[in-house]
Amino acid sequence: MTAVHVPGAPVIEDGLLVSTSPATGAEAGRFPVATEADVTAAVARAEAAGQWWASLGFTGRRERLLRWRALLARRIEQLADLMHLEGGKPVADGIVEVVTAVEHIDWAARNARRTLGPRRVRSRLILAEFSGHLEYQPYGVVGVIGPWNYPVLTPVGSTAYALAAGNAVVLKPSEYTPAVGQWLVDTFAEVVPEQPVLTAVHGLGDVGAALCRSGVGKLAFTGSSATARKVMAACAESLTPVLIEAGGKDAMIVDSDADLDAAAEACVWGALTNAGQTCIGIERVYAVEPVFDEFVAKVVDRAGRLTVGADGADIGPITMPSQLDVVRRHIDVALARGGRAVLGGADAVQPPYVRPTVLIDVPEDSAAVREETFGPTLTVNRVRDVDEAVGRANALAYGLGGSVFGRRRAMAAARRLRSGMTSVNSTLTFAGMSTLPFGGVGDSGFGRIHGADGLREFGRAKAITRRRARSLLPSMTFERTPADVARLVKVVKAMYGR
């Protein structure tokens, strides 16, 4: 019996994962579903490939990663079209995503040696006869479980850095975007045909669980906070280290001295790009009383001009059909609790689309404020001052990103936000800055991708001491004498006792 396809929902037929467009139902591809044995075998092959990959050294890996970067740059339209077909993302947004991924591949390839390579570390007087050495050695195989909302940028944020550090990677793409994940693997194989350094395993959640238990050296996960807990539990069975980027409910603060036109423009982009399906998307805004009404009017004006549809529109479909119920519930409850829709509202959910919705005066304990919505909706609430705004922004367990618009108090407020990243007078920009780390706190996860911290996440710190002279203050030996101990005490008191 043939399965009934809900456009965009993954279906397994005859051992194949079938991926379709959420907008049109058009098929994007079919991929063999991996069994637990298949996952184990993929990791075993990756272990051998990883040894070869590590042996290339930083120079050999850099050259190959830069070739992959160049290939992605040349085929940017092809990849963006595939993202549009499979996930419904507008082509222009897909191009921006690929551009950002290309930048991260370039930075990781060019900076891996400087960040992870062997170096001398200064010793101190007490152990002056030793030299210190530090390097970061690869884990061997890194498992990457990627999301569907940014199926290129987010997996590349882990994969490129793991590869630059000398690891092989086994990627489990989201079951909603397997075609994009396989495209990345296939293009990498074009420039590195010798060994299966980057491979993919496809399937539903059980395949991700199998990857957690497969013996990878480390696992990087991006997804919901609920699934992150399951991933951690599975990895804990073998003490496999994990890097977690989980959900978010990012806030934007608008101070009284903010450029309101710039703030409104950035807010609409940060909240509604990718149909609001962005972990670092702006889902709630706190605007101070003197500018609240004017700011809301500017947001409504800009958001109201956006187009919604399958092709050529600003906002595409909701990629995961089940998320439509979440978005509808958040809007309905917010309105029932006294919130007001100044744009969109109860009729905004029109599957597979959601029209832009701006809600004001929504109670802080409602789902639309406290839970991740993942749709093109936004709550805007008024506050007395920046202090109240920071307090409300920090009141949730999430802590991924955030934004502050203003002049005199903006940087101070940005530092006070309990989040891994904050943009001042912009939104989402930290995701594209390859020199900065990316990650959250609290229910938004831990660990970092991107930047030097992102490279170090995929290498084990290896410390080495090497004796270079006779000990003047012998202490770590049974051959020490009472006179040696007395000299040691005297030196320590002279150095540290004042």
Side-chain angles (χ1 to χ4, degrees), residues 9-45:
V11 172
I12 295 177
E13 288 184 354
D14 301 323
L16 298 176
L17 176 64
V18 183
S19 177
T20 58
S21 166
T24 66
E27 188 171 308
R30 294 175 177 242
F31 307 91
V33 175
T35 64
E36 185 174 350
D38 292 334
V39 174
T40 301
V43 172
R45 289 191 298 271

Side-chain angles (χ1 to χ4, degrees), residues 26 40 91 124 145 172 174 183 228 248 272 295 309 344 418 430 459 495:
T40 301
V91 171
R124 301 292 295 274
I145 299 178
K172 194 277 178 189
S174 168
W183 192 97
L272 305 182
F295 171 75
R418 180 180 170 273
F430 42 72
M495 288 179 60

Side-chain angles (χ1 to χ4, degrees), residues 357-497:
T357 294
V358 179
L359 304 167
I360 64 172
D361 301 330
V362 179
E364 289 290 306
D365 61 349
S366 66
V369 174
R370 301 195 63 82
E371 300 175 13
E372 191 171 37
T373 305
F374 238 55
T377 68
L378 178 70
T379 66
V380 188
N381 282 342
R382 68 185 78 220
V383 291
R384 294 185 308 276
D385 51 31
V386 168
D387 288 340
E388 183 182 358
V390 170
R392 291 197 186 188
N394 289 345
L396 304 189
Y398 291 115
L400 195 54
S403 173
V404 180
F405 267 79
R407 293 185 176 88
R408 288 174 297 152
R409 295 173 289 269
M411 283 297 292
R415 292 188 174 100
R416 292 169 59 196
L417 284 179
R418 180 180 170 273
S419 63
M421 304 84 58
T422 304
S423 296
V424 173
N425 295 330
S426 66
T427 53
L428 316 189
T429 43
F430 42 72
M433 194 167 291
S434 56
T435 52
L436 284 176
F438 181 102
V441 299
D443 280 8
S444 294
F446 52 85
R448 295 295 183 265
I449 58 175
H450 304 172
D453 287 351
L455 282 169
R456 283 189 284 266
E457 282 282 354
F458 297 105
R460 295 189 182 98
K462 175 71 173 184
I464 300 173
T465 57
R466 181 179 180 181
R467 181 181 290 277
R468 59 185 180 182
R470 183 178 64 86
S471 295
L472 298 178
L473 296 169
S475 57
M476 296 183 181
T477 173
F478 285 115
E479 303 300 318
R480 65 194 175 207
T481 66
D484 291 331
V485 174
R487 281 195 297 274
L488 181 63
V489 170
K490 184 176 180 180
V491 168
V492 170
K493 286 183 177 180
M495 288 179 60
Y496 306 119

Side-chain angles (χ1 to χ4, degrees), residues 232-248:
M232 290 182 65
C235 289
E237 296 171 10
S238 56
L239 292 182
T240 299
V242 295
L243 185 160
I244 299 291
E245 189 219 312

